[in-house]
Amino acid sequence: MQIREFKEKDTKEVIALWVKCQLVVPSNNPRKDIERKLKVDRNLFLVGILDKKIVATVMGGYEGHRGWINYLAVDPGYRRNGYGRLIMEEVERRIRSKGCPKINLQVRAANKEVIKFYQSLGYADDHVIGLGKRLEEDEPYSA
């Protein structure tokens, strides 16, 4: 799998992958999320290409204290081939190169399979509760 930085021409294909992977929720419009990401650390927004098709994505971030992982997706037809691990290793390398000491991520508690995947990469439950506050309401996404 070739890993490269996201390009704006990838938008439609990336959103289709996120929908397929059930990462799109009504409160987060993926087009707006992409627009926002391209303004900050766009080199941490990666896609994985196989057979001229985007089969994986990850959106990393670093705000000077902690790194963050969002929108990790691997096409269901390509899972269990190491592609999630490869793209995570690359985004972690890039975040680490910025001087980041720790990466956080959030997973829905019911998503046991994804939790096991992250644990296999060395992530552990920090025993914290994630809280959030919307500062801007997104219009619901429609394909």
Side-chain angles (χ1 to χ4, degrees), residues 58-60 67-70 72 88 91 95 103-105 118 123:
V58 68
M59 188 185 282
W68 286 92
I69 299 296
N70 296 289
L72 174 66
M88 280 295 294
V91 78
I95 292 170
I103 296 175
N104 291 336
L105 53 86
Y118 282 119
Y123 289 81

Side-chain angles (χ1 to χ4, degrees), residues 4-11 14 34 38 42 45-47 54:
R4 65 162 169 78
E5 292 177 18
F6 171 89
K7 297 177 183 175
E8 283 148 29
K9 69 180 177 84
D10 300 329
T11 299
V14 164
I34 288 171
L38 294 179
R42 70 185 299 145
F45 187 6
L46 306 176
V47 296
I54 294 175

Side-chain angles (χ1 to χ4, degrees), residues 93-126:
R93 184 190 67 72
R94 290 176 182 224
I95 292 170
R96 185 180 300 113
S97 76
K98 293 177 178 288
C100 179
K102 182 177 187 282
I103 296 175
N104 291 336
L105 53 86
Q106 296 178 323
V107 179
R108 291 179 183 91
N111 202 341
K112 304 296 184 195
E113 186 176 334
V114 171
I115 291 168
K116 286 180 186 177
F117 167 75
Y118 282 119
Q119 288 172 333
S120 78
L121 298 180
Y123 289 81
D125 186 347
D126 282 340

Side-chain angles (χ1 to χ4, degrees), residues 37-103:
K37 180 59 194 166
L38 294 179
K39 294 176 185 175
V40 181
D41 283 335
R42 70 185 299 145
N43 67 320
L44 298 179
F45 187 6
L46 306 176
V47 296
I49 312 286
L50 197 61
D51 303 323
K52 299 180 183 179
K53 175 182 173 185
I54 294 175
V55 299
T57 67
V58 68
M59 188 185 282
Y62 178 54
E63 31 69 349
H65 179 63
R66 293 287 183 253
W68 286 92
I69 299 296
N70 296 289
Y71 284 113
L72 174 66
V74 176
D75 185 301
Y78 291 83
R79 289 181 182 164
R80 305 212 184 288
N81 289 298
Y83 302 133
R85 180 178 296 274
L86 285 172
I87 203 164
M88 280 295 294
E89 287 172 354
E90 179 60 19
V91 78
E92 287 175 358
R93 184 190 67 72
R94 290 176 182 224
I95 292 170
R96 185 180 300 113
S97 76
K98 293 177 178 288
C100 179
K102 182 177 187 282
I103 296 175

